[in-house]
C-alpha cells in the first residue's frame, strides 16, 4: 500500500471518529437504538390446537406451507432455563403467562438456550414441516431425524422455526405466574405437564435431610438424581436434577415451604412424573418441618369419657384409614391402621405382612383424651399369625397435632395390659387387654398412643384393636 494513501486513510478515520464524538454533548452516551422485527407473521393457531394434532401413537408431520397448506404459526412463553444445567438442549414453554391450558417441549441441538430465550420470553413458532407426537408419554415438538422419531432442531436452522416476539423495543419478556397445584394434582391431569407450577407447604422426605441435592457415582461425578417431596397428607412427588446441574453442593434443608417447578414426565403411569427446577432459587423452604404421614385429625376433641367401637366407619376396600377424630400416623413406612370387619363386628387392624423386602413400619394410632377428667383406659385386642411382639401403648401430654412425634414425650404403659402371643397361624378372638387406672398426676389434654412396629422381614404379627374406652 502507498504510504501516502495509508496516511490519508488513517487521517480520515481520525476525523470521522472526532466528528462522531463531537455529536455527543455533555458527556452523555446514549445506547444505540434497538430494532426488533418479528420473524414470523401473527399466530394462525393456538398452542392447544397444535397440541391436538399429536396422534395417539406415532408422530404427525405438519405439512410444509404451500398453496394448499396454510402457515401453522403459534405463540408460547418460555418457562424453562438451562442456565444451571437442567433442561439440556431443551426449551419448555406454555400457551399463556398464567393459568396455562397446555405446554410443550421442544428440542434444540444447542446449549445455553437461556441466553436467546430466557424465562418469560414471548416466542413464536412456525411449525410447518415439523413433527409432533409423544416422546416417553410427553407430547413433544421437533423435526424429522434419521435416528429418532422426534429430533432436535439443528442449531444452523433454529431460526427457520422459532423466533422471539417484539414489544416495540426488543424481545418481549413477561412475568410467568406459576399455577398453584398439589402433589396429587400434578399426577392426575396430563394438561399440567410442561407448565410452571408452585407446590406449597411441602418438604423433602426426612430420610433425605442433610443429603446433597445430587448423588455421585463411584468416581465422584454428579449423576442424574431424584429427590422426594411429601406434603402434610402424605402425597409424594419427585424433584429431578440433571448430572450437569451446577448448584450441586446444595444440601437438603430441615425445613418446609414452597417449591416452583416445571411439571415433567418420563414414561407412563404416575411414578414417572419427574418435576424439574430451574435452579435452587426455585426452592423456598424457610418454615419448620411438619410431620409426615399423618392422616385424620380434622375434628380432634379431648374428652374424659367415651368408647370407640369403629362401627360408624366403612369396612370395605379400599379400607378406611382417615379418622377425623384421631391421628393415624405412619411415622416409618406407609402403612396405616385400617377399619376391618369380621362376623359383623368392626375394628382397626395393622400388619407388616406382605410389605416390600426388609421394609420397616412404625405407625401410631393416637386418641385425644382429657386426662383431668379421665380415670381409666380399656380396650380389646387380638393377633393374627403371631411371630413377635409388635404393639405398645403410651400416654403423652405435650404433643401438638401435626408436629413430628419426635417433639413429644411418650410415657409407656404397655406393661399394664396383657396381649396375646398366639396363634402363629390364623387369627385369634378379640378379648379385653385389661383396665388401666390413669395416674391422678396425669392431667390436661393429651393422647393415648397405640404404637405398631413391624418389618416385612422380621415381626409381621397382625394386631387388631376394638372398643377403646376411656371413663
Amino acid at each position: 500500500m502507498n504510504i501516502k494513501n495509508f496516511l490519508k486513510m488513517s487521517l480520515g478515520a481520525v476525523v470521522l471518529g472526532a466528528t462522531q464524538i463531537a455529536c455527543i454533548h455533555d458527556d452523555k452516551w446514549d445506547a444505540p437504538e434497538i430494532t426488533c422485527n418479528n420473524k414470523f407473521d401473527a399466530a394462525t393457531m393456538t398452542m392447544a390446537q397444535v397440541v391436538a394434532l399429536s396422534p395417539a401413537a406415532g408422530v404427525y408431520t405438519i405439512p410444509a406451507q404451500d398453496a394448499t397448506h396454510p402457515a401453522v404459526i403459534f405463540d408460547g412463553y418460555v418457562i424453562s432455563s438451562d442456565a444451571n444445567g437442567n433442561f439440556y438442549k431443551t426449551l419448555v414453554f406454555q400457551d399463556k403467562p398464567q393459568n396455562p391450558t397446555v405446554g410443550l417441549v421442544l428440542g434444540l441441538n444447542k446449549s445455553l438456550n437461556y441466553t436467546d430465550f430466557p424465562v418469560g420470553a414471548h416466542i413464536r413458532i412456525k411449525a410447518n414441516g415439523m413433527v409432533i407426537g409423544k416422546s416417553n408419554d410427553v407430547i413433544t415438538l421437533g423435526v424429522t431425524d434419521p435416528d429418532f422419531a422426534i429430533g432436535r432442531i439443528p442449531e444452523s436452522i433454529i431460526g427457520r422455526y422459532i423466533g422471539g416476539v417484539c414489544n416495540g423495543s426488543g424481545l418481549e419478556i413477561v412475568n410467568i405466574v406459576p399455577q398453584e397445584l398439589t402433589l396429587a394434582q400434578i399426577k392426575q391431569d396430563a394438561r399440567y405437564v410442561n407448565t410452571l407450577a408452585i407446590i406449597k407447604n411441602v418438604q423433602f422426605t426426612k430420610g433425605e435431610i442433610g443429603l446433597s441435592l445430587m448423588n455421585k457415582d463411584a468416581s465422584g461425578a454428579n449423576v442424574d438424581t431424584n429427590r422426594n417431596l411429601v406434603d402434610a397428607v402424605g402425597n409424594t412427588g419427585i424433584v429431578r436434577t440433571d448430572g450437569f446441574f451446577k448448584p450441586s453442593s446444595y444440601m437438603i434443608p430441615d425445613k418446609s415451604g414452597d417449591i416452583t417447578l416445571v411439571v415433567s414426565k418420563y414414561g407412563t403411569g404416575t411414578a414417572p412424573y419427574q418435576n424439574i427446577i430451574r435452579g435452587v432459587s426455585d426452592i423456598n423452604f424457610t418454615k419448620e418441618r411438619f410431620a409426615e404421614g399423618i392422616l385424620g385429625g380434622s375434628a380432634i376433641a379431648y374428652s374424659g369419657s367415651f368408647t370407640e367401637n369403629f362401627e360408624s366407619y366403612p369396612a370395605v376396600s379400599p379400607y378406611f384409614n382417615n379418622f377425623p377424630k384421631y391421628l393415624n400416623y405412619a411415622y416409618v413406612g406407609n402403612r396405616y391402621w385400617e377399619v376391618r370387619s369380621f362376623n359383623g363386628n368392626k375394628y382397626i387392624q395393622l400388619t407388616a405382612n406382605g410389605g416390600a423386602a426388609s421394609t420397616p413400619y412404625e405407625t401410631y394410632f393416637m386418641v385425644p383424651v382429657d386426662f383431668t377428667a379421665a380415670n381409666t383406659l380399656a380396650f380389646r385386642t387380638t393377633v393374627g399369625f403371631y411371630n413377635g411382639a409388635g404393639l405398645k401403648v403410651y400416654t403423652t401430654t405435650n404433643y401438638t397435632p401435626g408436629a413430628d412425634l419426635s417433639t413429644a414425650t411418650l410415657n409407656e404403659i404397655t406393661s399394664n395390659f396383657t396381649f396375646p402371643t398366639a396363634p402363629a397361624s390364623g387369627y385369634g378372638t378379640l378379648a379385653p387387654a385389661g383396665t388401666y387406672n390413669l395416674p391422678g398426676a396425669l392431667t390436661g389434654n393429651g393422647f393415648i398412643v397405640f404404637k405398631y412396629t413391624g418389618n416385612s422381614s422380621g415381626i409381621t404379627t397382625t394386631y387388631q384393636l376394638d372398643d377403646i374406652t376411656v371413663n
Side-chain angles (χ1 to χ4, degrees), residues 77-212:
Y77 296 86
V78 176
I79 59 172
S80 64
S81 172
D82 60 355
N84 291 300
N86 280 343
F87 302 98
Y88 176 70
K89 293 187 176 182
T90 298
L91 202 64
V92 185
F93 51 98
Q94 61 189 38
D95 63 342
K96 295 188 292 185
Q98 59 184 21
N99 300 318
T101 64
V102 69
L104 266 176
V105 61
L106 172 65
L108 304 176
N109 202 14
K110 173 184 175 295
S111 57
L112 302 178
N113 290 300
Y114 77 97
T115 59
D116 296 319
F117 305 111
V119 173
H122 184 182
I123 61 174
R124 185 163 290 163
I125 292 177
K126 185 172 184 180
N128 295 94
M130 301 184 77
V131 295
I132 189 169
K134 285 189 176 181
S135 175
N136 294 305
D137 206 43
V138 174
I139 296 178
T140 303
L141 188 65
V143 295
T144 55
D145 187 284
D147 299 317
F148 303 98
I150 305 174
R152 291 189 173 102
I153 303 175
E155 182 173 3
S156 60
I157 59 172
I158 288 175
R160 181 185 302 176
Y161 299 103
I162 181 171
V165 176
C166 304
N167 63 0
S169 59
L171 175 65
E172 181 178 20
I173 300 176
V174 303
N175 180 43
I176 304 294
V177 180
Q179 56 187 333
E180 185 176 339
L181 300 174
T182 67
L183 291 175
Q185 284 177 310
I186 60 177
K187 299 177 183 179
Q188 294 170 352
D189 195 331
R191 73 183 179 90
Y192 296 132
V193 174
N194 293 326
T195 65
L196 190 67
I198 183 169
I199 316 296
K200 294 190 173 182
N201 299 318
V202 294
Q203 61 197 18
F204 290 101
T205 55
K206 57 188 173 186
E208 295 176 328
I209 295 173
L211 298 180
S212 172

Side-chain angles (χ1 to χ4, degrees), residues 229-279:
L229 295 173
V230 64
D231 64 20
V233 294
N235 294 311
T236 60
I238 291 173
V239 175
R240 184 168 179 81
T241 48
D242 187 275
F244 294 101
F245 189 66
K246 291 179 182 177
S248 57
S249 61
Y250 179 85
M251 308 303 288
I252 292 177
D254 188 14
K255 296 288 184 179
S256 68
D258 308 334
I259 185 168
T260 302
L261 40 77
V262 176
V263 181
S264 188
K265 197 170 185 278
Y266 189 86
T268 59
T270 58
Y273 279 87
Q274 300 175 345
N275 308 291
I276 305 173
I277 57 175
R278 286 86 52 89

